[in-house]
Amino acid sequence: MTSDQSGQDRPVLAPQTFRRALDKSHEAKAKVEVVANELTSANDAVKAKIAKGVTSLPVHEALADSEGVEVKVQDVAGDLHEVTDTLSQGIEDLKGVESALKRSRKALIESEAALALSQRGEHKAKFDGMHDPRTGLPNRTLFDDRLAQAISLAERHGWTLAVMFLDLDRFKTINDTHGHAAGDRVLEEIARRLNGHCRDEDTVCRNGGDEFLYLLMNPQGRENIERVASMVLANLGAPIDMDDLQLNITPSIGIALYPEHGGTVEQLIDRADIAMYQAKRAASGFAIFDDASRG
């Protein structure tokens, strides 16, 4: 439906209406050709009579010819007027349809833009809810979820897992001596190094404060776990250049293994935390959980 100038709806012409108009136009064309032929014939007849010396024609013949042609011309004119009206209405309807299509396209573009903006906002909100705002690392909620999934996979495939609990030694001294801004930059650098070190299938998270968690998927034995822990210690222990300062950070790492030390998220993290304190007391850099060594 389209609206005319009065605001009232009128139906949009269907394709068959245009076909009828075209057919009518063809009929009108045929009639025009007939009239033209008749006029030509009448003109030729007049010329022939004049050529024979006839200088006057009977009035009734002239009138009859004139009236017959006039009727046909009017008939053709009526057909052409009908065709013109139909096509004019169709053109106006087409203009209305095109205008409506333009408005629809514009509305569609605006809707798509609003949807994309909403999706970006939803994605950002979801990301923010699962990541630490300071370091950009996964937060504890996301880590727990990934560890739970890892436990399910490990149980199904007979894998081992290692959970490393990292704590930065004497981090409070950095905040107290150089300010919290310096402490934040240290955390960001530690996060960058940890994130660059871990494999795609592993997960590093900030647990809060100066604590981090590191999940190793199927690390293939204690020897390899100890090798990874030593590499992390060396990586994080390298000096951090900060303006005119050069800070040295030493972490302590506690390690718990699945399934040896626990079969749940809580058990593995708790025992990795205990092992971290064992490493601090022994000043050994890292320690694998040993229940006999609890103190």
mmCIF file of all heavy atoms in Angstrom, residues 137-138 140 143 147 161-167 190-191 193-207 211-217 219 225 228-233 235-236 253-257 268-269 272:
data_model
loop_
_atom_site.group_PDB
_atom_site.id
_atom_site.type_symbol
_atom_site.label_atom_id
_atom_site.label_comp_id
_atom_site.label_asym_id
_atom_site.label_seq_id
_atom_site.Cartn_x
_atom_site.Cartn_y
_atom_site.Cartn_z
ATOM 1 N N LEU A 137 45.134 -10.187 32.230
ATOM 2 C CA LEU A 137 45.150 -11.645 32.322
ATOM 3 C C LEU A 137 43.768 -12.163 32.745
ATOM 4 O O LEU A 137 42.968 -11.420 33.328
ATOM 5 C CB LEU A 137 46.179 -12.111 33.351
ATOM 6 C CG LEU A 137 47.658 -11.901 33.040
ATOM 7 C CD1 LEU A 137 48.511 -12.367 34.208
ATOM 8 C CD2 LEU A 137 48.066 -12.627 31.761
ATOM 9 N N PRO A 138 43.479 -13.448 32.462
ATOM 10 C CA PRO A 138 42.261 -14.035 33.031
ATOM 11 C C PRO A 138 42.233 -13.862 34.544
ATOM 12 O O PRO A 138 43.282 -13.869 35.195
ATOM 13 C CB PRO A 138 42.385 -15.518 32.653
ATOM 14 C CG PRO A 138 43.196 -15.507 31.383
ATOM 15 C CD PRO A 138 44.182 -14.385 31.562
ATOM 16 N N ARG A 140 40.450 -14.968 38.440
ATOM 17 C CA ARG A 140 40.301 -16.245 39.132
ATOM 18 C C ARG A 140 39.050 -16.998 38.663
ATOM 19 O O ARG A 140 39.054 -18.242 38.559
ATOM 20 C CB ARG A 140 40.243 -15.990 40.644
ATOM 21 C CG ARG A 140 40.029 -17.227 41.490
ATOM 22 C CD ARG A 140 41.161 -18.240 41.368
ATOM 23 N NE ARG A 140 40.862 -19.451 42.141
ATOM 24 C CZ ARG A 140 41.180 -19.596 43.418
ATOM 25 N NH1 ARG A 140 41.809 -18.624 44.087
ATOM 26 N NH2 ARG A 140 40.883 -20.714 44.042
ATOM 27 N N PHE A 143 39.961 -18.670 35.465
ATOM 28 C CA PHE A 143 40.954 -19.714 35.717
ATOM 29 C C PHE A 143 40.283 -20.961 36.299
ATOM 30 O O PHE A 143 40.575 -22.090 35.879
ATOM 31 C CB PHE A 143 42.027 -19.204 36.672
ATOM 32 C CG PHE A 143 43.144 -20.185 36.899
ATOM 33 C CD1 PHE A 143 44.225 -20.237 36.036
ATOM 34 C CD2 PHE A 143 43.109 -21.061 37.978
ATOM 35 C CE1 PHE A 143 45.259 -21.155 36.246
ATOM 36 C CE2 PHE A 143 44.128 -21.976 38.198
ATOM 37 C CZ PHE A 143 45.214 -22.019 37.328
ATOM 38 N N LEU A 147 40.355 -24.607 34.673
ATOM 39 C CA LEU A 147 40.936 -25.715 35.421
ATOM 40 C C LEU A 147 39.924 -26.855 35.551
ATOM 41 O O LEU A 147 40.279 -28.035 35.434
ATOM 42 C CB LEU A 147 41.398 -25.247 36.803
ATOM 43 C CG LEU A 147 42.012 -26.320 37.720
ATOM 44 C CD1 LEU A 147 43.142 -27.071 37.030
ATOM 45 C CD2 LEU A 147 42.503 -25.683 39.016
ATOM 46 N N LEU A 161 48.128 -32.894 35.152
ATOM 47 C CA LEU A 161 48.050 -31.425 35.149
ATOM 48 C C LEU A 161 48.978 -30.906 36.233
ATOM 49 O O LEU A 161 49.244 -31.598 37.217
ATOM 50 C CB LEU A 161 46.621 -30.948 35.438
ATOM 51 C CG LEU A 161 45.498 -31.410 34.513
ATOM 52 C CD1 LEU A 161 44.148 -30.966 35.090
ATOM 53 C CD2 LEU A 161 45.683 -30.864 33.104
ATOM 54 N N ALA A 162 49.431 -29.679 36.035
ATOM 55 C CA ALA A 162 50.212 -29.018 37.078
ATOM 56 C C ALA A 162 49.648 -27.624 37.296
ATOM 57 O O ALA A 162 49.404 -26.887 36.339
ATOM 58 C CB ALA A 162 51.682 -28.929 36.678
ATOM 59 N N VAL A 163 49.413 -27.280 38.555
ATOM 60 C CA VAL A 163 48.970 -25.939 38.921
ATOM 61 C C VAL A 163 50.094 -25.281 39.709
ATOM 62 O O VAL A 163 50.516 -25.796 40.750
ATOM 63 C CB VAL A 163 47.682 -25.970 39.762
ATOM 64 C CG1 VAL A 163 47.326 -24.565 40.253
ATOM 65 C CG2 VAL A 163 46.534 -26.572 38.962
ATOM 66 N N MET A 164 50.585 -24.152 39.184
ATOM 67 C CA MET A 164 51.647 -23.406 39.862
ATOM 68 C C MET A 164 51.052 -22.164 40.509
ATOM 69 O O MET A 164 50.320 -21.412 39.868
ATOM 70 C CB MET A 164 52.748 -23.019 38.872
ATOM 71 C CG MET A 164 53.453 -24.215 38.244
ATOM 72 S SD MET A 164 55.020 -23.795 37.404
ATOM 73 C CE MET A 164 54.434 -22.780 36.056
ATOM 74 N N PHE A 165 51.381 -21.964 41.781
ATOM 75 C CA PHE A 165 50.939 -20.789 42.539
ATOM 76 C C PHE A 165 52.165 -19.898 42.730
ATOM 77 O O PHE A 165 53.141 -20.306 43.354
ATOM 78 C CB PHE A 165 50.373 -21.230 43.890
ATOM 79 C CG PHE A 165 49.548 -20.188 44.590
ATOM 80 C CD1 PHE A 165 48.206 -20.390 44.819
ATOM 81 C CD2 PHE A 165 50.124 -18.993 45.032
ATOM 82 C CE1 PHE A 165 47.431 -19.434 45.478
ATOM 83 C CE2 PHE A 165 49.372 -18.042 45.674
ATOM 84 C CZ PHE A 165 48.017 -18.254 45.895
ATOM 85 N N LEU A 166 52.119 -18.676 42.144
ATOM 86 C CA LEU A 166 53.270 -17.769 42.196
ATOM 87 C C LEU A 166 52.978 -16.584 43.112
ATOM 88 O O LEU A 166 51.888 -15.994 43.049
ATOM 89 C CB LEU A 166 53.605 -17.221 40.797
ATOM 90 C CG LEU A 166 54.068 -18.212 39.722
ATOM 91 C CD1 LEU A 166 52.881 -18.851 39.021
ATOM 92 C CD2 LEU A 166 54.945 -17.491 38.693
ATOM 93 N N ASP A 167 53.963 -16.241 43.928
ATOM 94 C CA ASP A 167 53.868 -15.069 44.796
ATOM 95 C C ASP A 167 55.171 -14.273 44.657
ATOM 96 O O ASP A 167 56.259 -14.853 44.681
ATOM 97 C CB ASP A 167 53.674 -15.490 46.252
ATOM 98 C CG ASP A 167 53.548 -14.298 47.183
ATOM 99 O OD1 ASP A 167 52.439 -13.759 47.304
ATOM 100 O OD2 ASP A 167 54.586 -13.905 47.774
ATOM 101 N N ILE A 190 55.268 -8.361 34.872
ATOM 102 C CA ILE A 190 55.250 -9.777 35.251
ATOM 103 C C ILE A 190 54.177 -10.520 34.454
ATOM 104 O O ILE A 190 54.400 -11.628 33.948
ATOM 105 C CB ILE A 190 54.986 -9.936 36.764
ATOM 106 C CG1 ILE A 190 56.177 -9.371 37.571
ATOM 107 C CG2 ILE A 190 54.735 -11.388 37.119
ATOM 108 C CD1 ILE A 190 57.490 -10.099 37.348
ATOM 109 N N ALA A 191 53.008 -9.889 34.320
ATOM 110 C CA ALA A 191 51.914 -10.509 33.559
ATOM 111 C C ALA A 191 52.316 -10.689 32.100
ATOM 112 O O ALA A 191 52.033 -11.729 31.489
ATOM 113 C CB ALA A 191 50.658 -9.636 33.657
ATOM 114 N N ARG A 193 55.327 -11.068 30.867
ATOM 115 C CA ARG A 193 56.308 -12.142 30.760
ATOM 116 C C ARG A 193 55.662 -13.517 30.920
ATOM 117 O O ARG A 193 55.996 -14.456 30.192
ATOM 118 C CB ARG A 193 57.417 -11.943 31.810
ATOM 119 C CG ARG A 193 58.270 -10.695 31.561
ATOM 120 C CD ARG A 193 59.395 -10.589 32.592
ATOM 121 N NE ARG A 193 60.148 -9.347 32.410
ATOM 122 C CZ ARG A 193 61.245 -9.030 33.108
ATOM 123 N NH1 ARG A 193 61.712 -9.875 34.031
ATOM 124 N NH2 ARG A 193 61.866 -7.886 32.896
ATOM 125 N N LEU A 194 54.771 -13.636 31.878
ATOM 126 C CA LEU A 194 54.088 -14.916 32.077
ATOM 127 C C LEU A 194 53.243 -15.282 30.861
ATOM 128 O O LEU A 194 53.248 -16.430 30.394
ATOM 129 C CB LEU A 194 53.192 -14.847 33.317
ATOM 130 C CG LEU A 194 53.875 -14.957 34.680
ATOM 131 C CD1 LEU A 194 52.867 -14.697 35.792
ATOM 132 C CD2 LEU A 194 54.504 -16.344 34.861
ATOM 133 N N ASN A 195 52.523 -14.316 30.346
ATOM 134 C CA ASN A 195 51.653 -14.560 29.195
ATOM 135 C C ASN A 195 52.466 -14.943 27.965
ATOM 136 O O ASN A 195 52.045 -15.768 27.151
ATOM 137 C CB ASN A 195 50.809 -13.314 28.903
ATOM 138 C CG ASN A 195 49.540 -13.645 28.148
ATOM 139 O OD1 ASN A 195 48.901 -14.662 28.401
ATOM 140 N ND2 ASN A 195 49.171 -12.796 27.217
ATOM 141 N N GLY A 196 53.639 -14.330 27.829
ATOM 142 C CA GLY A 196 54.497 -14.649 26.691
ATOM 143 C C GLY A 196 55.168 -16.001 26.833
ATOM 144 O O GLY A 196 55.608 -16.587 25.838
ATOM 145 N N HIS A 197 55.254 -16.497 28.051
ATOM 146 C CA HIS A 197 55.935 -17.763 28.312
ATOM 147 C C HIS A 197 55.028 -18.971 28.105
ATOM 148 O O HIS A 197 55.470 -20.023 27.632
ATOM 149 C CB HIS A 197 56.489 -17.772 29.746
ATOM 150 C CG HIS A 197 57.289 -18.986 30.077
ATOM 151 N ND1 HIS A 197 56.701 -20.154 30.512
ATOM 152 C CD2 HIS A 197 58.620 -19.220 30.026
ATOM 153 C CE1 HIS A 197 57.649 -21.056 30.718
ATOM 154 N NE2 HIS A 197 58.817 -20.514 30.446
ATOM 155 N N CYS A 198 53.752 -18.848 28.457
ATOM 156 C CA CYS A 198 52.883 -20.026 28.478
ATOM 157 C C CYS A 198 52.449 -20.432 27.071
ATOM 158 O O CYS A 198 52.374 -19.615 26.154
ATOM 159 C CB CYS A 198 51.654 -19.791 29.368
ATOM 160 S SG CYS A 198 50.406 -18.702 28.666
ATOM 161 N N ARG A 199 52.132 -21.705 26.908
ATOM 162 C CA ARG A 199 51.650 -22.232 25.637
ATOM 163 C C ARG A 199 50.180 -21.864 25.441
ATOM 164 O O ARG A 199 49.500 -21.441 26.368
ATOM 165 C CB ARG A 199 51.802 -23.754 25.621
ATOM 166 C CG ARG A 199 53.219 -24.263 25.846
ATOM 167 C CD ARG A 199 53.208 -25.771 26.056
ATOM 168 N NE ARG A 199 52.394 -26.148 27.215
ATOM 169 C CZ ARG A 199 52.105 -27.405 27.537
ATOM 170 N NH1 ARG A 199 52.557 -28.412 26.799
ATOM 171 N NH2 ARG A 199 51.364 -27.667 28.607
ATOM 172 N N ASP A 200 49.693 -22.048 24.209
ATOM 173 C CA ASP A 200 48.301 -21.709 23.910
ATOM 174 C C ASP A 200 47.325 -22.508 24.774
ATOM 175 O O ASP A 200 46.268 -22.001 25.155
ATOM 176 C CB ASP A 200 47.998 -21.965 22.429
ATOM 177 C CG ASP A 200 48.694 -20.979 21.506
ATOM 178 O OD1 ASP A 200 49.112 -19.916 22.000
ATOM 179 O OD2 ASP A 200 48.814 -21.284 20.312
ATOM 180 N N GLU A 201 47.646 -23.761 25.048
ATOM 181 C CA GLU A 201 46.729 -24.594 25.819
ATOM 182 C C GLU A 201 46.811 -24.350 27.321
ATOM 183 O O GLU A 201 45.981 -24.845 28.088
ATOM 184 C CB GLU A 201 46.993 -26.081 25.528
ATOM 185 C CG GLU A 201 48.381 -26.561 25.889
ATOM 186 C CD GLU A 201 49.366 -26.491 24.726
ATOM 187 O OE1 GLU A 201 49.259 -25.545 23.913
ATOM 188 O OE2 GLU A 201 50.225 -27.382 24.640
ATOM 189 N N ASP A 202 47.817 -23.598 27.771
ATOM 190 C CA ASP A 202 47.965 -23.295 29.195
ATOM 191 C C ASP A 202 47.217 -22.007 29.541
ATOM 192 O O ASP A 202 46.787 -21.265 28.657
ATOM 193 C CB ASP A 202 49.448 -23.139 29.557
ATOM 194 C CG ASP A 202 50.237 -24.425 29.297
ATOM 195 O OD1 ASP A 202 49.625 -25.505 29.292
ATOM 196 O OD2 ASP A 202 51.460 -24.326 29.078
ATOM 197 N N THR A 203 47.070 -21.739 30.827
ATOM 198 C CA THR A 203 46.390 -20.524 31.273
ATOM 199 C C THR A 203 47.153 -19.892 32.423
ATOM 200 O O THR A 203 47.553 -20.587 33.362
ATOM 201 C CB THR A 203 44.953 -20.828 31.750
ATOM 202 O OG1 THR A 203 44.199 -21.375 30.663
ATOM 203 C CG2 THR A 203 44.253 -19.562 32.235
ATOM 204 N N VAL A 204 47.355 -18.569 32.326
ATOM 205 C CA VAL A 204 47.945 -17.794 33.418
ATOM 206 C C VAL A 204 46.890 -16.814 33.901
ATOM 207 O O VAL A 204 46.184 -16.201 33.096
ATOM 208 C CB VAL A 204 49.201 -17.031 32.942
ATOM 209 C CG1 VAL A 204 49.724 -16.128 34.060
ATOM 210 C CG2 VAL A 204 50.281 -18.002 32.499
ATOM 211 N N CYS A 205 46.760 -16.666 35.210
ATOM 212 C CA CYS A 205 45.801 -15.698 35.728
ATOM 213 C C CYS A 205 46.405 -14.909 36.878
ATOM 214 O O CYS A 205 47.364 -15.352 37.518
ATOM 215 C CB CYS A 205 44.505 -16.393 36.170
ATOM 216 S SG CYS A 205 44.362 -16.744 37.932
ATOM 217 N N ARG A 206 45.839 -13.733 37.098
ATOM 218 C CA ARG A 206 46.198 -12.980 38.298
ATOM 219 C C ARG A 206 45.192 -13.365 39.372
ATOM 220 O O ARG A 206 43.984 -13.167 39.223
ATOM 221 C CB ARG A 206 46.147 -11.480 38.040
ATOM 222 C CG ARG A 206 46.605 -10.683 39.275
ATOM 223 C CD ARG A 206 46.455 -9.195 39.078
ATOM 224 N NE ARG A 206 46.869 -8.456 40.275
ATOM 225 C CZ ARG A 206 46.586 -7.189 40.506
ATOM 226 N NH1 ARG A 206 45.886 -6.492 39.610
ATOM 227 N NH2 ARG A 206 46.988 -6.590 41.608
ATOM 228 N N ASN A 207 45.704 -13.890 40.466
ATOM 229 C CA ASN A 207 44.847 -14.344 41.545
ATOM 230 C C ASN A 207 44.428 -13.193 42.454
ATOM 231 O O ASN A 207 43.459 -13.293 43.202
ATOM 232 C CB ASN A 207 45.575 -15.418 42.363
ATOM 233 C CG ASN A 207 44.678 -16.119 43.345
ATOM 234 O OD1 ASN A 207 43.570 -16.518 43.002
ATOM 235 N ND2 ASN A 207 45.145 -16.277 44.580
ATOM 236 N N GLU A 211 49.813 -12.168 43.501
ATOM 237 C CA GLU A 211 49.730 -13.605 43.305
ATOM 238 C C GLU A 211 49.231 -13.943 41.899
ATOM 239 O O GLU A 211 48.323 -13.280 41.374
ATOM 240 C CB GLU A 211 48.781 -14.236 44.325
ATOM 241 C CG GLU A 211 49.249 -14.086 45.771
ATOM 242 C CD GLU A 211 48.255 -14.639 46.755
ATOM 243 O OE1 GLU A 211 47.102 -14.922 46.354
ATOM 244 O OE2 GLU A 211 48.620 -14.801 47.945
ATOM 245 N N PHE A 212 49.821 -14.996 41.319
ATOM 246 C CA PHE A 212 49.441 -15.453 39.991
ATOM 247 C C PHE A 212 49.289 -16.972 40.006
ATOM 248 O O PHE A 212 49.914 -17.666 40.823
ATOM 249 C CB PHE A 212 50.501 -15.064 38.953
ATOM 250 C CG PHE A 212 50.676 -13.583 38.786
ATOM 251 C CD1 PHE A 212 51.506 -12.858 39.647
ATOM 252 C CD2 PHE A 212 50.003 -12.886 37.783
ATOM 253 C CE1 PHE A 212 51.667 -11.493 39.504
ATOM 254 C CE2 PHE A 212 50.160 -11.514 37.633
ATOM 255 C CZ PHE A 212 51.004 -10.811 38.492
ATOM 256 N N LEU A 213 48.467 -17.485 39.130
ATOM 257 C CA LEU A 213 48.280 -18.921 38.956
ATOM 258 C C LEU A 213 48.626 -19.308 37.527
ATOM 259 O O LEU A 213 48.370 -18.546 36.583
ATOM 260 C CB LEU A 213 46.836 -19.316 39.259
ATOM 261 C CG LEU A 213 46.402 -19.246 40.722
ATOM 262 C CD1 LEU A 213 44.884 -19.362 40.839
ATOM 263 C CD2 LEU A 213 47.086 -20.343 41.542
ATOM 264 N N TYR A 214 49.181 -20.500 37.386
ATOM 265 C CA TYR A 214 49.658 -20.949 36.074
ATOM 266 C C TYR A 214 49.236 -22.421 35.925
ATOM 267 O O TYR A 214 49.665 -23.273 36.687
ATOM 268 C CB TYR A 214 51.179 -20.801 36.041
ATOM 269 C CG TYR A 214 51.858 -20.943 34.695
ATOM 270 C CD1 TYR A 214 53.037 -20.243 34.445
ATOM 271 C CD2 TYR A 214 51.385 -21.777 33.693
ATOM 272 C CE1 TYR A 214 53.708 -20.346 33.220
ATOM 273 C CE2 TYR A 214 52.033 -21.889 32.477
ATOM 274 C CZ TYR A 214 53.194 -21.186 32.250
ATOM 275 O OH TYR A 214 53.846 -21.304 31.055
ATOM 276 N N LEU A 215 48.394 -22.704 34.935
ATOM 277 C CA LEU A 215 47.937 -24.065 34.659
ATOM 278 C C LEU A 215 48.730 -24.647 33.494
ATOM 279 O O LEU A 215 48.739 -24.085 32.400
ATOM 280 C CB LEU A 215 46.441 -24.067 34.314
ATOM 281 C CG LEU A 215 45.875 -25.372 33.731
ATOM 282 C CD1 LEU A 215 45.996 -26.526 34.741
ATOM 283 C CD2 LEU A 215 44.423 -25.176 33.299
ATOM 284 N N LEU A 216 49.379 -25.784 33.746
ATOM 285 C CA LEU A 216 50.105 -26.511 32.702
ATOM 286 C C LEU A 216 49.280 -27.724 32.290
ATOM 287 O O LEU A 216 48.999 -28.597 33.114
ATOM 288 C CB LEU A 216 51.469 -26.985 33.219
ATOM 289 C CG LEU A 216 52.587 -25.941 33.335
ATOM 290 C CD1 LEU A 216 53.770 -26.542 34.079
ATOM 291 C CD2 LEU A 216 53.017 -25.490 31.950
ATOM 292 N N MET A 217 48.922 -27.777 31.014
ATOM 293 C CA MET A 217 48.157 -28.905 30.505
ATOM 294 C C MET A 217 49.095 -30.045 30.115
ATOM 295 O O MET A 217 50.010 -29.863 29.301
ATOM 296 C CB MET A 217 47.346 -28.470 29.280
ATOM 297 C CG MET A 217 46.241 -27.462 29.580
ATOM 298 S SD MET A 217 44.859 -28.187 30.480
ATOM 299 C CE MET A 217 44.191 -29.274 29.226
ATOM 300 N N PRO A 219 51.772 -31.826 31.279
ATOM 301 C CA PRO A 219 53.183 -31.440 31.202
ATOM 302 C C PRO A 219 54.175 -32.603 31.061
ATOM 303 O O PRO A 219 55.380 -32.364 30.970
ATOM 304 C CB PRO A 219 53.404 -30.706 32.522
ATOM 305 C CG PRO A 219 52.409 -31.312 33.454
ATOM 306 C CD PRO A 219 51.210 -31.650 32.628
ATOM 307 N N ILE A 225 58.002 -30.573 34.417
ATOM 308 C CA ILE A 225 57.371 -29.544 35.253
ATOM 309 C C ILE A 225 58.441 -28.711 35.952
ATOM 310 O O ILE A 225 58.353 -27.477 36.002
ATOM 311 C CB ILE A 225 56.434 -30.201 36.292
ATOM 312 C CG1 ILE A 225 55.250 -30.863 35.587
ATOM 313 C CG2 ILE A 225 55.937 -29.173 37.302
ATOM 314 C CD1 ILE A 225 54.421 -31.765 36.482
ATOM 315 N N VAL A 228 60.034 -26.326 33.464
ATOM 316 C CA VAL A 228 59.189 -25.152 33.198
ATOM 317 C C VAL A 228 59.250 -24.176 34.368
ATOM 318 O O VAL A 228 59.370 -22.952 34.171
ATOM 319 C CB VAL A 228 57.728 -25.584 32.927
ATOM 320 C CG1 VAL A 228 56.813 -24.349 32.837
ATOM 321 C CG2 VAL A 228 57.637 -26.385 31.635
ATOM 322 N N ALA A 229 59.195 -24.686 35.609
ATOM 323 C CA ALA A 229 59.245 -23.819 36.786
ATOM 324 C C ALA A 229 60.564 -23.059 36.839
ATOM 325 O O ALA A 229 60.596 -21.859 37.174
ATOM 326 C CB ALA A 229 59.053 -24.650 38.048
ATOM 327 N N SER A 230 61.660 -23.721 36.498
ATOM 328 C CA SER A 230 62.974 -23.059 36.497
ATOM 329 C C SER A 230 63.022 -21.955 35.451
ATOM 330 O O SER A 230 63.579 -20.867 35.682
ATOM 331 C CB SER A 230 64.082 -24.085 36.225
ATOM 332 O OG SER A 230 64.145 -25.036 37.279
ATOM 333 N N MET A 231 62.430 -22.212 34.283
ATOM 334 C CA MET A 231 62.394 -21.197 33.221
ATOM 335 C C MET A 231 61.558 -19.994 33.649
ATOM 336 O O MET A 231 61.913 -18.839 33.373
ATOM 337 C CB MET A 231 61.830 -21.805 31.937
ATOM 338 C CG MET A 231 62.750 -22.838 31.282
ATOM 339 S SD MET A 231 61.967 -23.673 29.878
ATOM 340 C CE MET A 231 61.624 -22.295 28.788
ATOM 341 N N VAL A 232 60.430 -20.246 34.322
ATOM 342 C CA VAL A 232 59.585 -19.142 34.798
ATOM 343 C C VAL A 232 60.343 -18.312 35.832
ATOM 344 O O VAL A 232 60.308 -17.070 35.796
ATOM 345 C CB VAL A 232 58.273 -19.692 35.408
ATOM 346 C CG1 VAL A 232 57.499 -18.570 36.111
ATOM 347 C CG2 VAL A 232 57.406 -20.316 34.325
ATOM 348 N N LEU A 233 61.044 -18.968 36.743
ATOM 349 C CA LEU A 233 61.843 -18.248 37.742
ATOM 350 C C LEU A 233 62.873 -17.344 37.072
ATOM 351 O O LEU A 233 63.048 -16.179 37.455
ATOM 352 C CB LEU A 233 62.553 -19.243 38.661
ATOM 353 C CG LEU A 233 61.723 -19.883 39.770
ATOM 354 C CD1 LEU A 233 62.538 -20.977 40.462
ATOM 355 C CD2 LEU A 233 61.275 -18.838 40.786
ATOM 356 N N ASN A 235 62.864 -16.196 33.975
ATOM 357 C CA ASN A 235 62.192 -15.171 33.172
ATOM 358 C C ASN A 235 61.715 -14.021 34.053
ATOM 359 O O ASN A 235 61.939 -12.835 33.743
ATOM 360 C CB ASN A 235 61.018 -15.809 32.431
ATOM 361 C CG ASN A 235 60.394 -14.883 31.407
ATOM 362 O OD1 ASN A 235 60.929 -13.828 31.097
ATOM 363 N ND2 ASN A 235 59.254 -15.278 30.870
ATOM 364 N N LEU A 236 61.046 -14.362 35.147
ATOM 365 C CA LEU A 236 60.516 -13.315 36.033
ATOM 366 C C LEU A 236 61.621 -12.646 36.843
ATOM 367 O O LEU A 236 61.465 -11.496 37.280
ATOM 368 C CB LEU A 236 59.467 -13.903 36.981
ATOM 369 C CG LEU A 236 58.231 -14.545 36.341
ATOM 370 C CD1 LEU A 236 57.194 -14.867 37.417
ATOM 371 C CD2 LEU A 236 57.632 -13.657 35.264
ATOM 372 N N ILE A 253 57.354 -20.213 43.906
ATOM 373 C CA ILE A 253 56.373 -20.987 43.150
ATOM 374 C C ILE A 253 56.078 -22.298 43.873
ATOM 375 O O ILE A 253 56.987 -23.061 44.207
ATOM 376 C CB ILE A 253 56.889 -21.295 41.724
ATOM 377 C CG1 ILE A 253 57.245 -20.003 40.989
ATOM 378 C CG2 ILE A 253 55.850 -22.094 40.943
ATOM 379 C CD1 ILE A 253 57.879 -20.237 39.617
ATOM 380 N N GLY A 254 54.782 -22.535 44.098
ATOM 381 C CA GLY A 254 54.337 -23.816 44.641
ATOM 382 C C GLY A 254 53.597 -24.583 43.566
ATOM 383 O O GLY A 254 52.853 -24.003 42.759
ATOM 384 N N ILE A 255 53.778 -25.900 43.527
ATOM 385 C CA ILE A 255 53.220 -26.717 42.449
ATOM 386 C C ILE A 255 52.424 -27.885 43.027
ATOM 387 O O ILE A 255 52.888 -28.585 43.930
ATOM 388 C CB ILE A 255 54.342 -27.265 41.541
ATOM 389 C CG1 ILE A 255 55.215 -26.118 41.016
ATOM 390 C CG2 ILE A 255 53.764 -28.073 40.383
ATOM 391 C CD1 ILE A 255 56.504 -26.575 40.345
ATOM 392 N N ALA A 256 51.216 -28.075 42.479
ATOM 393 C CA ALA A 256 50.391 -29.237 42.825
ATOM 394 C C ALA A 256 50.054 -29.977 41.541
ATOM 395 O O ALA A 256 49.846 -29.349 40.491
ATOM 396 C CB ALA A 256 49.120 -28.803 43.539
ATOM 397 N N LEU A 257 49.984 -31.303 41.626
ATOM 398 C CA LEU A 257 49.782 -32.131 40.440
ATOM 399 C C LEU A 257 48.438 -32.848 40.496
ATOM 400 O O LEU A 257 47.981 -33.266 41.573
ATOM 401 C CB LEU A 257 50.898 -33.178 40.341
ATOM 402 C CG LEU A 257 52.337 -32.651 40.409
ATOM 403 C CD1 LEU A 257 53.323 -33.807 40.321
ATOM 404 C CD2 LEU A 257 52.597 -31.634 39.303
ATOM 405 N N LEU A 268 43.543 -28.595 44.257
ATOM 406 C CA LEU A 268 44.793 -28.327 43.536
ATOM 407 C C LEU A 268 45.339 -26.932 43.852
ATOM 408 O O LEU A 268 46.542 -26.759 44.080
ATOM 409 C CB LEU A 268 44.570 -28.490 42.030
ATOM 410 C CG LEU A 268 44.337 -29.927 41.560
ATOM 411 C CD1 LEU A 268 43.916 -29.954 40.100
ATOM 412 C CD2 LEU A 268 45.589 -30.773 41.776
ATOM 413 N N ILE A 269 44.469 -25.925 43.871
ATOM 414 C CA ILE A 269 44.936 -24.563 44.159
ATOM 415 C C ILE A 269 45.385 -24.451 45.614
ATOM 416 O O ILE A 269 46.417 -23.823 45.913
ATOM 417 C CB ILE A 269 43.826 -23.536 43.828
ATOM 418 C CG1 ILE A 269 43.584 -23.509 42.312
ATOM 419 C CG2 ILE A 269 44.218 -22.137 44.324
ATOM 420 C CD1 ILE A 269 42.450 -22.602 41.880
ATOM 421 N N ALA A 272 48.763 -26.132 45.908
ATOM 422 C CA ALA A 272 49.797 -25.338 45.256
ATOM 423 C C ALA A 272 50.170 -24.137 46.128
ATOM 424 O O ALA A 272 51.343 -23.746 46.212
ATOM 425 C CB ALA A 272 49.310 -24.862 43.885
#
